[in-house]
């Protein structure tokens, strides 16, 4: 027997032995065992695998004389699911890495092993989950470090990613990145830790941390070897900051390099950080700070829910019989929020709620500083300086020198197996002793608790000046943005200037952009022009943008050209657009072609529009097609239209559009379905093509293909018919027009129950028409909650008549507050106007002021609009120009001139 067949035999024997133990355990419990039942159990949560009993018999033949089949790489997840099922029936906890090694060893051909000198260490050496930031769980006397684990939907997704990397398939090696996105203590890092068990023990794990995460990742990628898992817990900290984009670009390159494969990247992040990393550039934004990170990450994530879903609860209850910590979490935790309780969330809240006045002030100041935008490491001096704003004068005067140190020591003490509310930030470099820094970290669970429970709290007015004096330089720009959202323009400027004086990369230009966006163009130039004249390409682009908005087009073209030549490649595109608008078509074309040569996104589309305008249609089609095939969007429509006008056959256009539609469907984020719309439009215009497709659908052999073609033709015919006929009223509206309001009301009520937006407002109007004001008020309230601004006025009218103005406006303000929390700003402005019209202007102003101080980014401008409506025009203009102070008074005039010679900017890192 060869060595390899011996290893296959070992896998077979271990599977058979495990099955026997499971069968014996079931028999002792009075239950019957069958492989058919095993297959059915594997199809249910938490396994979700389709494994027929015959397949199990292939791996573990009932006839011992029969040669077992070695499970292929593609079957790895199924075998491990079977192992977990049999182990649970046997009352055992499987060692998945050991089983993975058995499976790997049994394969007929070994994969190349990673070099021993490569970065990282073998995964088998990582036996401490807490070294990889897995949260410690509460201490429930279970006798094991981590609670027993329930695999959920995100675990199955993660297993599919890992197994996809491990598969040999046709010999092509693959690499992958998988990011789990969820709130604090929802189990993201634990899920990644469990996924490590799926890797054979000779894989290596690399966890880059020093000197900082982006730098460490860039350095690690230079030498990374195949069969390595890259551990990027809090992935946003690796892909943000001065070198984050460079790290993202290099990681993209490495993952796409088959010579480096197979590689696996496991990451986690919070939803807010994820949204920032993958947020598309908004219209009008000149910079795209996460372009590479967005391409790297989009479509490669899975959300981790806050709570266990119903399908997971049976397995959770079963494990609760074996693990007292899970039992305690089920009994005492919030419904379904098991991981948060296990990670010590309840213990942390208990400590916060029972803290001394001094300890509570430290925690709440940390909560506010974090939610305003400060980085994780909080300077102790900052929290100490904030204390007078969180303690009454008498209490603060009673704080002795030693009290603060004692409070921080107490808050840093772990409890029930989890870190304290405020723990010292420590640094350990290889070969050096542990260093305790002068910063502390707020526990993640309390951080999120503060964001959730204190989101409407107004920070103490004095906190803002404290932040300007003591915040970490790397946090000043984010804090400035929070100040600006609240209308504290003087504070925002002070924070940005402090960042510039601390030589924070990009801070000088951030001051200029802030001033530009506040329409202070001359002052904005004072900040960026010296840098531009010194050769900074980003500053040149900033100067060009200011020239552009102040209608100095020729100067803008000059500066955009200088910026482009200095390395700001996007400026070729901006210069071309200005030249195009100015009728200088030859120069515009030259700029667009320079942008094309530099690989600027959108250059093909801009050049195509120019060429089409000049009547060079064939050339325009080439570039529209390039733009469509690389970025989709409106270029798809233009290309299809030009192809038809050129005389291309309907079939050729159809084939091209089908490919674009497939690409569009594969993309996770699509603003408008341009390719789908173009496809239907094309079919709607071509009766003969629809006829041929109908014939194909009738003659096709594959049912799925027939259905797809039939649906396509049906939709196209509906599209064509809709274009031919005038818009018909809905059935409910037709009933109303026919003089049957009762029947129309019944239909609108049905549509509202089905979720159709707008139906509630129609129902309300009909209730009024039928003399049912109470019902009308209910429907208008529902329409207002759905976001209908007109419904707010109707609600005010009916509620005032029925319940009085105080009740009406209390409800309206609460409704507007809910809209604002959901980032819909129009309701608050509407309610403010209604209050003003009712003679309650002071009440409206007080409400808007508090909303602004609490963080509504629109409320201070709405306040200014209301001042103007009330005839206080001068005060409104001063507020718009200078903002207001944290105490709610309009700021006095302030200067935005640079305080002295500008510090040199660190050159931007360009991938």
């Amino acid at each position: 027997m060869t060595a390899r067949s011996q290893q296959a035999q070992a896998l077979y024997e271990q599977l058979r032995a495990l099955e026997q133990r499971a069968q014996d355990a079931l028999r002792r419990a009075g239950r019957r065992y069958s492989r058919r039942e095993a297959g059915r159990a594997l199809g249910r949560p938490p396994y979700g695998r389709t494994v027929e009993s015959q397949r199990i018999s292939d791996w573990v033949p009932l006839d011992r004389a029969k040669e077992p089949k070695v499970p292929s790489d593609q079957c790895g997840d199924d075998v491990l699911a079977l192992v977990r099922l049999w182990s649970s029936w046997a009352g055992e906890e499987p060692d998945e890495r050991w089983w993975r090694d058995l499976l790997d060893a049994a394969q007929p051909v070994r994969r190349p092993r990673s070099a021993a000198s490569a970065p990282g260490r073998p995964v088998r050496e990582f036996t401490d989950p807490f070294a990889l930031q897995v949260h410690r769980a509460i201490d429930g006397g279970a006798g094991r470090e981590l609670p027993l684990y329930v695999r959920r939907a995100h675990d199955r997704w993660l297993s599919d990613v890992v197994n996809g990397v491990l598969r040999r398939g046709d010999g092509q090696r693959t690499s992958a990145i998988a990011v789990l996105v969820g709130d604090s203590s929802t189990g993201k890092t634990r899920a990644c830790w469990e996924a490590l068990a799926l890797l054979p023990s000779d894989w290596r794990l690399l966890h880059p941390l020093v000197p900082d995460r982006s730098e460490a990742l860039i350095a690690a990628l230079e030498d990374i070897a195949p069969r390595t898992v890259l551990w990027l817990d809090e992935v946003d900290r690796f892909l943000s900051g001065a070198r984050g984009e460079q790290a993202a670009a290099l990681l993209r390159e490495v993952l796409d390099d088959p010579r480096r494969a197979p590689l696996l990247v496991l990451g986690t992040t919070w939803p807010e950080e994820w949204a920032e990393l993958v947020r598309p550039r908004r219209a009008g934004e000149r910079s795209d700070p996460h372009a590479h990170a967005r391409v790297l990450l989009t479509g490669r994530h899975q959300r981790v829910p806050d709570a266990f879903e119903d399908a997971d609860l049976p397995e959770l209850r079963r494990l609760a019989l074996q693990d007292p910590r899970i039992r305690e979490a089920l009994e005492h935790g919030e419904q379904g929020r098991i991981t948060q309780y296990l990670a010590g969330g309840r213990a942390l809240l208990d400590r916060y709620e029972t803290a001394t006045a001094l300890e509570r002030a430290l925690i709440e100041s940390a909560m506010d500083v974090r939610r305003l935008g400060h980085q994780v490491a909080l300077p102790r001096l900052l929290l100490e300086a904030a204390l007078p704003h969180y303690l009454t004068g008498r209490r603060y005067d009673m704080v002795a020198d030693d009290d603060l140190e004692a409070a921080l020591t107490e808050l840093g003490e772990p409890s029930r197996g989890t870190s304290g509310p405020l723990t010292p930030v420590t640094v350990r470099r290889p070969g050096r002793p542990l260093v305790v820094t002068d910063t502390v970290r707020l526990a993640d669970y309390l951080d999120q608790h503060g964001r959730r429970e204190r989101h409407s709290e107004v920070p103490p007015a004095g906190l803002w000046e404290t932040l300007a004096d003591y915040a970490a330089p790397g946090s000043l720009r984010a804090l400035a943005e929070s100040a600006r959202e609240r209308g504290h323009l003087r504070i925002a400027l002070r924070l940005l200037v402090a960042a510039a004086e601390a030589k924070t990369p990009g801070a000088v230009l951030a001051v200029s952009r802030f001033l530009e966006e506040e329409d202070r163009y001359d002052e904005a130039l004072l900040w960026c022009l010296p840098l531009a004249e010194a050769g900074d390409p980003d500053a040149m682009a900033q100067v060009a943008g200011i020239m552009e908005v102040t209608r100095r087009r020729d100067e803008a073209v000059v500066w955009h050209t200088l910026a482009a030549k200095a390395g700001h490649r996007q400026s070729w595109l901006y210069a071309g657009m200005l030249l195009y608008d100015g009728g200088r078509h030859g120069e515009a074309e030259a700029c667009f072609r320079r942008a094309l040569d530099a690989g600027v996104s959108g250059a093909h589309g801009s050049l195509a529009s120019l060429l089409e305008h000049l009547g060079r249609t064939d050339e325009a089609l080439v570039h529209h097609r390039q733009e469509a095939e690389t970025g989709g969007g409106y270029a798809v429509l233009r290309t299809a239209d030009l192809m038809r006008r050129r005389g291309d056959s309907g079939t050729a256009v159809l084939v091209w559009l089908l490919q674009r539609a497939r690409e569009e469907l594969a993309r996770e984020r699509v603003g408008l379905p341009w390719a789908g719309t173009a496809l239907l439009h094309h079919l709607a215009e071509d009766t003969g093509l629809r006829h041929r497709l109908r014939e194909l659908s009738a003659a096709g052999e594959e049912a799925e293909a027939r259905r797809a073609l039939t649906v396509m033709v049906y939709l196209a015919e509906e599209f064509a018919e809709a274009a031919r006929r005038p818009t018909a009223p809905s059935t409910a509206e037709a009933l109303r027009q026919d003089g049957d309001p009762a029947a129309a009301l019944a239909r609108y009520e049905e549509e509202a129950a089905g979720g159709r937006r707008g139906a509630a407002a129609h129902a309300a109007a009909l209730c009024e028409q039928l003399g049912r004001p109470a019902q009308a008020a209910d429907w208008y309230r529902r329409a207002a909650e759905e976001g209908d601004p007109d419904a707010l006025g109707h609600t005010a009218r009916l509620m005032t008549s029925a319940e009085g103005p105080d009740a009406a406006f209390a409800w309206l303000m609460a409704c507007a507050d809910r809209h604002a929390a959901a980032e819909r700003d129009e309701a608050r402005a509407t309610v403010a106007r209604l209050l003003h019209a009712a003679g309650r202007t002071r009440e409206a102003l007080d409400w808007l002021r508090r909303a602004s101080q609490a963080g509504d980014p629109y409320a201070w401008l709405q306040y200014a609009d209301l001042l103007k409506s009330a005839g206080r025009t001068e005060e409104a203009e001063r507020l718009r120009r200078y903002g207001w102070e944290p105490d709610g008074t309009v700021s006095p005039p302030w200067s935005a001139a640079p305080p002295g010679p500008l510090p040199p900017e660190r050159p931007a890192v360009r991938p």
Side-chain angles (χ1 to χ4, degrees), residues 251-288:
L251 184 52
R252 285 180 62 193
E253 181 180 323
V254 169
L255 289 176
D256 290 339
D257 187 349
R259 297 168 300 177
R260 303 289 194 99
L263 296 174
L264 174 65
V265 182
L266 296 178
T268 69
T269 190
W270 288 4
E272 299 86 353
E273 308 296 347
W274 174 262
E276 182 60 27
L277 285 175
V278 301
R279 177 180 68 82
R281 182 171 56 184
R282 297 190 179 103
E285 287 184 339
R286 293 193 179 90
S287 63
D288 193 359

Side-chain angles (χ1 to χ4, degrees), residues 311-365:
D312 304 316
L313 294 179
E315 179 68 4
L316 191 68
R317 295 190 185 99
R318 187 186 70 79
L319 294 183
L321 300 175
Q322 305 171 47
D323 193 325
R325 290 172 292 188
I326 297 178
R327 186 161 59 249
E328 179 183 343
L330 276 170
E331 292 172 356
H332 302 293
E334 297 179 45
Q335 186 173 9
R337 297 170 66 85
I338 304 302
T339 57
Q340 292 90 331
Y341 190 95
L342 293 173
R346 183 63 258 170
L348 286 166
L349 286 178
D350 286 343
R351 292 182 68 177
Y352 165 53
E353 292 164 358
T354 59
T356 66
L358 176 57
E359 292 169 355
R360 191 179 183 94
L362 286 167
I363 293 172
E364 289 184 349
S365 64

